[in-house]
Amino acid sequence: MIAESGHYALVLALGLALIQSVVPLIGARLRDVALMNVARSTALAQLLFVGASFIALVMLHVNSDFSVANVYENSHSMKPLLYKITGVWGNHEGSMLLWVSILALFGGLVAAFGNNLPLSLRAHVLAVQAWVASAFYLFILVTSNPFLRIASPPIEGRDLNPVLQDIGLAVHPPMLYLGYVGFSISFSFAIAALMEGRIDAAWARWVRPWTLVAWIFLTLGIAMGSYWAYYELGWGGWWFWDPVENASLMPWLSGTALLHSALVMEKRNALKVWTILLSILTFSLSLLGTFLVRSGVITSVHAFATDPTRGVFILLILCLFIGGSLSLFAGRATSLKQGGLFAPISREGALVLNNLLLTVACAVVLFGTLYPLAMEMLADFKMSVGAPFYNLTFAPLFTLLLLAVPFGPMLAWKRGDLLGVTQRLLAAGVAGLVAVAIAWGWATGGSTLAPLAIGLGVFVIAGAVTDIVERTGLVRLPFATVLHRARGLPRSSWGTAFAHAGLGVALIGIVCETTWNSEYIATMKQNDVAHISGFDVKLDGVLQRQGPNYREMIAEFNVSRDGAPLSVMTPSKRSFTTRGSSTTEAALLTRGASQLYISLGDANAEGAIAVRIYYKPMVLLIWWGPVLMAFGGVLSLSDRRLRVGAPKPARAKQRLQPAE
Amino acid sequence: MGAVRALPEACQMTLWFVFALMTVAAIFAVLWPLGRKERAQDQGSEVAVYKDQLAEIERDLAAGMIPAPDAEAARVEISRRLLAAAASEPATAPTSNVTWRRVAAVLALAGLPLVSLGVYMPLGSPKLQDFPLAQRERVPGKAQSLENLVAQVQQHLEKNPTDGRGWNVLAPVLQRLGRFDDAVRAYRNSLTYNGESSERRADLGEALSAAAGGVVTAEAKTEFERAHALDADDPKANYFLGLAAEQDGRKDDAATIWRALLAKAPADAPWRVLVQTSLARVGGGGTMPALSDEAIAASKDMAEGDRNAMVRGMVERLATRLKQNGDDVESWLRLVRAYLVMGERDKAMGASADARQAVGSDGERLRQLNEGLRTLGLGG
């Protein structure tokens, strides 16, 4: 009953989405309020039904109902509860259901909290949202139905891919999907604007919170995925330029560009056409990502779905939406009114530079992802584009971008004073140079570029601090005034500073990890001691343990430094009988931002065991950076300007009084 | 397990009742706004945004964030936008169009149920009941506890790998649970620590062929030959050597081996029936795929019709499984072979085409598949 009700709820959601994609548009043409409001109630009802469907699938997994093929194939009755739940989206069908659930969630949010939007814009946005939803409901029902049944259910399931049996699966995919799918809202806004033929500064303000939400989740999702790969795959890598990772990086790059160009549009009514195009491209890249991951055109750890019919179906959706939206754009873009003018040296100019660098970087990643696929398809020639390619292309672009980052927020709108800004950034520049000198003196070995890159990171952080110092007048004004100004500073300014500083933090982490990472790989017997970066790591022994659905070989290491014992580390190797595969569980010892990392290989007949030990200086900064960026995003999101509805300005005036 | 569990009548009714309620709720979601009074003021406008932007400039100016001339310029620019927005604000009052509202209502009342049922009926299985773990454990708890026992024994053997008696006990249980690869390993260990015997060799061979989906592979055959060398009368070894001959297409050899086996067999041997059926098969042309000993033993008491149904059921399950996950070459070969034995050559051809498509992306597997198909006489 749960299975069939969930299935039927999904079908009803499709029916509602079909109505939602047509009726509101007719309403908007006729200016009929009731017809336009159908969008709202159907979007909410759709959320209700997809939500019910998703909950039904979760319950089936929790109950280990193997009469449902999806549960049988991806679950096991002995699996811990958490993995029974996360296993719902640890497979193709379930993850697509999560995808549409989040799509419906965003649609529902626009319906519920979109009171500040003009009625016809909201109707258009929700209708476009429903087109996307209908396509994906059909895709799920026809090619990837999670509710198909088995008439004579097996006693035991086939278990979830062991690599996915980790807390990371609980966080990474939902975050990533909230990001991917969140960009569907800015896409719908763009299409709605094109259909209405009206676009102006207000549009940018309406889209901004949605773009920001998507961007925050995508940032966290990518960072989380990278950290997961780092500790789960067992050899300490955190970014592989894997096509699936690129698929999430591309929407992030263009989404970041979109956030910045929407700013220009909101403040200066300029870059309108470009912003619309970016909205379309960002969601198109999200769809492309979905296609790459879900169709199985690329074989990697992520491609646990391989089925040609699915691939063709998603390709069709992809062509329909990208092709359709771009043609609409081509047809309508010329008729859009152009907006304000600005000098090249100005805040707008800096943001254009930002957009230029980000989109070129995005194009580079797109090329690096698709070129090997095209070569394989056309020339039957397998190749891989990896770190060397991106070091030569992506790295210089980002270096330029980071050099420019501190300047952007300090330039004035319309006409900026580059010389003045440079003078004010002098302190930050000096901080960067000092950092270079220190890194140079302290470093032993490694690339000569590394100290320079660290200097750049410090410059970016110091630049963000300078911006806040300037705005609050920290050095030149009395402290009470500073405090008052700091409180009066829009939260988005704080957000900018945090997000930009996050970039610098991440850069420092990346450089330290890749340059001064040391490793020790050997076969160790009991009581053997490994020496690495000043740590003494002694293998105390190996023991076996039975987990809920796996058997585990645990090695105990005693870590000490200069004779003083620090900690006991217990990496393990788990073997899962049902799937006949095994995973490594690395042990991590965190010291400040640095980590000691131990993972196990195979044990040989004499009881010796292959061990990989890494010392990764400052590695955690790689993820603290994105967390800082996301925090900046949240601050910016909480800015009162974004929450404005019609009655708010009155309150703003009241708050103004004490200042006068 | 195995039987199709149709829902009792009452449950069926409940399910359809739930469906009906859900449909009504969905229809209501469409009808509700159509029936409500206009509330056009419930919306935002560009004017509000620009007014807010103006207020923000005042605030920034008051806080000393921007100099006065800049604020003035921005104020002028925003005011211009504000005027433009106010001018373009829809002058016409919202209309209400009764015809189109009726169309929307009909769309919801008739279209929604039609689309839902039209999509659901071919995809859903409204007759199947849920089958959660809790319910399953109430029925036959054996499978679960057996798994636990096996895990305990395995743990014990992990610590004392030379305990030959333990391996001896564990191996047949694993074989019965269908964990053939584990069973092969256990039998090998049993041979190592308990020494040679014709039974153990034959059991190992049986596990090997079960792991290969009922095909007596070259490896399995070697084991049976060794068992035969140790004890020429070992019934299991003889039976499987006959089966190997049959699978190689040497039906007469198979018949000879089995006839000799029957001649020496005690009258009350439980495997007599099995050998007789096999003999009849090579004599009169087969209707059944070769199954593992257990399956046949289980089907021994069944009537002919039931047995065929059971075999067909197993083949169908295999086919469904492969449709969902087709990267196991061995299973594909097993399916094709089963179809061939059942005399359904068309289905066999179809399955081998599906198999090629399913493993097509992997060169190594494709080669394996083609080789296998060739030995089945479907190569090319």
Side-chain angles (χ1 to χ4, degrees):
Chain A
M1 190 122 126
I2 297 177
E4 294 309 314
S5 309
H7 197 169
Y8 190 70
L10 191 62
V11 174
L12 273 181
L14 168 68
L16 283 168
L18 288 175
I19 290 182
Q20 190 189 327
S21 25
V22 185
V23 173
L25 290 184
I26 299 172
R29 282 281 161 280
L30 300 173
R31 297 198 165 286
D32 187 316
V33 177
L35 286 175
M36 285 194 272
N37 271 334
V38 167
R40 203 175 187 186
S41 59
T42 43
L44 289 170
Q46 222 193 95
L47 172 60
L48 184 80
F49 283 115
V50 180
S53 178
F54 186 74
I55 289 169
L57 190 61
V58 171
M59 280 169 71
L60 293 170
H61 272 260
V62 169
N63 293 341
S64 296
D65 188 335
F66 298 130
S67 71
V68 177
N70 179 261
V71 182
Y72 158 67
E73 274 161 22
N74 300 292
S75 195
H76 191 281
S77 60
M78 305 288 271
K79 205 164 62 166
L81 180 66
L82 175 69
Y83 302 147
K84 279 184 182 170
I85 296 173
T86 58
V88 171
W89 54 83
N91 62 80
H92 171 75
E93 290 84 0
S95 74
M96 284 319 294
L97 190 60
L98 178 68
W99 206 98
V100 289
S101 306
I102 291 175
L103 191 69
L105 175 69
F106 275 104
L109 287 176
V110 171
F113 301 109
N115 288 334
N116 60 340
L117 302 178
L119 212 52
S120 77
L121 179 64
R122 190 171 67 195
H124 273 105
V125 167
L126 287 175
V128 176
Q129 196 76 7
W131 299 347
V132 180
S134 307
F136 276 92
Y137 289 141
L138 268 178
F139 170 69
I140 292 181
L141 286 168
V142 175
T143 71
S144 335
N145 198 322
F147 292 106
L148 292 184
R149 307 290 297 275
I150 303 175
S152 26
I155 285 289
E156 194 45 89
R158 292 177 37 193
D159 211 350
L160 179 67
N161 183 351
V163 175
L164 301 176
Q165 295 194 22
D166 184 89
I167 182 75
L169 184 64
V171 189
H172 168 59
M175 287 257 180
L176 204 62
Y177 279 9
L178 279 167
Y180 267 180
V181 181
F183 283 121
S184 70
I185 297 284
S186 36
F187 172 80
S188 298
F189 266 92
I191 300 297
L194 286 175
M195 289 196 321
E196 285 199 298
R198 229 156 47 96
I199 178 165
D200 34 50
W203 183 91
R205 179 168 285 204
W206 288 321
V207 185
R208 190 169 159 77
W210 303 104
T211 318
L212 205 48
V213 168
W215 182 86
I216 291 168
F217 280 115
L218 192 58
T219 308
L220 288 175
I222 294 175
M224 178 66 217
S226 151
Y227 188 64
W228 187 16
Y230 165 75
Y231 73 72
E232 180 70 27
L233 295 184
W235 49 281
W238 45 270
W239 191 263
F240 308 91
W241 296 108
D242 175 286
V244 176
E245 286 167 331
N246 292 348
S248 65
L249 184 64
M250 288 187 285
W252 187 83
L253 290 169
S254 67
T256 312
L258 172 61
L259 269 185
H260 289 89
S261 79
L263 210 60
V264 178
M265 183 165 161
E266 179 186 336
K267 287 283 186 186
R268 300 277 297 119
N269 206 20
L271 293 189
K272 290 194 287 194
V273 176
W274 172 242
T275 305
I276 294 275
L277 181 62
L278 270 182
S279 303
I280 294 175
L281 286 183
T282 304
F283 186 58
S284 299
L285 288 168
S286 295
L287 284 180
L288 182 72
T290 310
F291 167 69
L292 288 179
V293 180
R294 291 282 139 237
S295 65
V297 289
I298 34 175
T299 326
S300 76
V301 274
H302 298 73
F304 36 92
T306 316
D307 187 334
T309 54
R310 286 174 187 167
V312 171
F313 203 119
I314 303 192
L315 196 60
L316 225 69
I317 297 181
L318 199 69
C319 292
L320 193 72
F321 281 101
I322 300 182
S325 55
L326 287 180
S327 354
L328 184 67
F329 175 80
R332 286 298 186 88
T334 44
S335 66
L336 294 176
K337 267 189 295 176
Q338 284 297 332
L341 299 168
F342 53 86
I345 303 291
S346 61
R347 179 87 67 91
E348 295 93 320
L351 289 169
V352 168
L353 179 67
N354 149 303
N355 268 235
L356 207 66
L357 290 170
L358 280 174
T359 39
V360 173
C362 183
V364 162
V365 178
L366 185 68
F367 175 80
T369 312
L370 294 187
Y371 182 67
L373 286 178
M375 285 305 278
E376 201 185 330
M377 221 174 302
L378 300 175
D380 202 21
F381 164 63
K382 211 161 174 117
M383 62 176 294
S384 69
V385 170
F389 168 75
Y390 294 101
N391 285 345
L392 275 177
T393 52
F394 192 80
L397 283 169
F398 247 70
T399 310
L400 272 180
L401 182 66
L402 288 172
L403 274 174
V405 157
F407 289 89
M410 299 184 74
L411 282 165
W413 292 103
K414 277 189 180 175
R415 235 172 289 104
D417 175 11
L418 191 60
L419 197 65
V421 172
T422 315
Q423 279 169 354
R424 282 183 285 162
L425 278 174
L426 211 58
V430 169
L433 286 176
V434 170
V436 172
I438 292 176
W440 212 296
W442 173 80
T444 46
S447 160
T448 44
L449 285 177
L452 292 176
I454 288 185
L456 180 60
V458 171
F459 173 61
V460 171
I461 299 171
V465 175
T466 312
D467 184 32
I468 290 294
V469 168
E470 283 286 326
R471 275 165 200 265
T472 53
L474 185 62
V475 194
R476 47 200 168 82
L477 295 174
F479 190 67
T481 326
V482 169
L483 216 59
H484 180 74
R485 286 179 64 149
R487 216 174 296 134
L489 209 59
R491 295 241 184 100
S492 60
S493 300
W494 288 102
T496 307
F498 274 107
H500 286 175
L503 272 175
V505 170
L507 176 69
I508 294 176
I510 291 170
V511 171
C512 288
E513 197 277 332
T514 45
T515 315
W516 294 295
N517 157 35
S518 42
E519 66 178 21
Y520 173 94
I521 301 178
T523 319
M524 291 175 80
K525 289 207 194 78
Q526 192 158 8
N527 293 330
D528 278 1
V529 180
H531 304 282
I532 180 167
S533 303
F535 293 95
D536 300 315
V537 183
K538 177 165 153 261
L539 177 60
D540 272 353
V542 178
L543 54 131
Q544 303 283 341
R545 203 177 64 180
Q546 175 76 36
N549 56 341
Y550 55 83
R551 299 184 31 69
E552 189 172 35
M553 173 179 79
I554 303 176
E556 238 184 58
F557 290 90
N558 239 313
V559 184
S560 56
R561 192 178 181 113
D562 306 328
L566 277 181
S567 170
V568 176
M569 294 174 73
T570 52
S572 69
K573 204 169 167 69
R574 294 177 179 170
S575 45
F576 292 75
T577 35
T578 318
R579 288 253 175 170
S581 56
S582 59
T583 62
T584 56
E585 301 292 315
L588 301 170
L589 175 66
T590 307
R591 305 262 298 160
S594 310
Q595 280 189 327
L596 192 65
Y597 182 114
I598 308 183
S599 79
L600 299 182
D602 292 315
N604 67 13
E606 288 95 57
I609 187 165
V611 176
R612 272 164 298 174
I613 307 176
Y614 303 91
Y615 179 68
K616 296 181 171 287
M618 297 292 146
V619 68
L620 285 179
L621 293 187
I622 297 175
W623 301 289
W624 288 352
V627 169
L628 213 56
M629 286 187 230
F631 176 67
V634 171
L635 277 183
S636 195
L637 189 66
S638 71
D639 194 307
R640 49 168 294 285
R641 285 179 302 155
L642 296 180
R643 286 172 290 147
V644 70
K648 288 274 170 62
R651 230 182 67 206
K653 267 187 208 121
Q654 279 168 11
R655 275 181 54 187
L656 228 132
Q657 265 139 21
E660 280 164 356
Chain B
M1 68 156 213
V4 178
R5 295 144 304 101
L7 265 148
E9 196 84 347
C11 284
Q12 284 257 351
M13 288 304 296
T14 325
L15 184 69
W16 286 109
F17 184 65
V18 170
F19 283 8
L21 272 184
M22 286 163 75
T23 317
V24 168
I27 292 172
F28 179 71
V30 183
L31 294 187
W32 187 57
L34 292 180
R36 287 211 329 163
K37 280 250 155 52
E38 322 267 77
R39 272 183 48 224
Q41 74 277 22
D42 190 21
Q43 60 169 305
S45 66
E46 287 165 40
V47 174
V49 172
Y50 297 132
K51 279 186 182 153
D52 187 58
Q53 278 189 340
L54 281 176
E56 186 188 323
I57 287 177
E58 297 304 327
R59 198 174 52 123
D60 283 359
L61 183 63
M65 227 85 73
I66 44 173
D70 281 11
E72 188 48 42
R75 216 180 279 142
V76 169
E77 194 175 309
I78 294 170
S79 305
R80 216 181 298 136
R81 274 182 236 159
L82 180 61
L83 286 176
S88 72
E89 200 101 298
T92 45
T95 60
S96 70
N97 191 311
V98 181
T99 330
W100 277 100
R101 287 190 191 186
R102 284 214 184 108
V103 171
V106 169
L107 212 59
L109 281 168
L112 204 54
L114 275 180
V115 167
S116 309
L117 287 180
V119 175
Y120 175 77
M121 287 316 287
L123 293 172
S125 326
K127 290 200 171 131
L128 288 187
Q129 206 177 344
D130 281 353
F131 199 43
L133 181 68
Q135 188 186 333
R136 218 159 46 230
E137 272 176 341
R138 270 204 305 279
V139 192
K142 261 188 224 157
Q144 282 297 333
S145 56
L146 195 58
E147 294 257 345
N148 284 341
L149 280 177
V150 167
Q152 276 169 23
V153 176
Q154 271 182 320
Q155 243 173 311
H156 162 78
L157 286 170
E158 191 99 27
K159 281 178 219 130
N160 316 288
T162 54
D163 178 2
R165 222 171 53 98
W167 290 116
N168 226 4
V169 172
L170 181 64
V173 181
L174 289 172
Q175 171 84 1
R176 201 162 311 143
L177 283 175
R179 290 161 62 178
F180 302 125
D181 290 328
D182 289 339
V184 167
R185 215 168 305 130
Y187 276 126
R188 285 233 165 90
N189 283 327
S190 173
L191 271 166
T192 317
Y193 301 116
N194 293 322
E196 291 277 312
S197 91
S198 64
E199 286 92 11
R200 284 197 270 276
R201 282 286 170 198
D203 286 342
L204 173 58
E206 188 189 4
L208 280 168
S209 48
V215 180
V216 183
T217 56
E219 198 186 2
K221 201 174 162 197
T222 320
E223 297 302 332
F224 292 126
E225 275 160 357
R226 278 188 195 150
H228 186 73
L230 287 169
D231 175 7
D233 289 341
D234 186 274
K236 191 176 270 179
N238 277 310
Y239 167 72
F240 274 97
L241 285 173
L243 193 60
E246 187 202 353
Q247 287 175 0
D248 290 347
R250 296 179 285 113
K251 293 196 171 178
D252 294 341
D253 290 358
T256 322
I257 295 173
W258 283 331
R259 236 173 258 128
L261 179 57
L262 281 175
K264 283 184 204 162
D268 58 346
W271 38 264
R272 267 197 96 95
V273 190
L274 170 67
V275 180
Q276 276 160 354
T277 348
S278 309
L279 192 56
R281 186 172 65 225
V282 286
T287 54
M288 270 175 47
L291 295 169
S292 68
D293 251 353
E294 285 78 22
I296 301 220
S299 68
K300 203 167 56 184
D301 306 327
M302 293 182 183
E304 181 70 23
D306 286 350
R307 195 179 316 156
N308 273 338
M310 171 181 154
V311 170
R312 268 169 212 286
M314 289 173 78
V315 173
E316 256 159 46
R317 266 204 298 285
L318 180 61
T320 338
R321 189 162 68 73
L322 284 170
K323 211 169 280 168
Q324 285 152 356
N325 179 5
D327 42 39
D328 181 4
V329 175
E330 287 293 329
S331 301
W332 277 113
L333 290 174
R334 190 152 34 116
L335 180 67
V336 173
R337 217 173 65 79
Y339 279 139
L340 282 179
V341 176
M342 281 155 69
E344 302 191 19
R345 205 179 161 78
D346 290 348
K347 281 197 176 171
M349 300 292 280
S352 46
D354 287 347
R356 283 215 183 86
Q357 209 171 14
V359 302
S361 54
D362 188 330
E364 174 56 25
R365 289 219 204 104
L366 191 62
R367 200 186 49 72
Q368 268 178 16
L369 179 74
N370 282 334
E371 233 159 62
L373 288 176
R374 209 166 302 130
T375 53
L376 291 172
L378 281 178

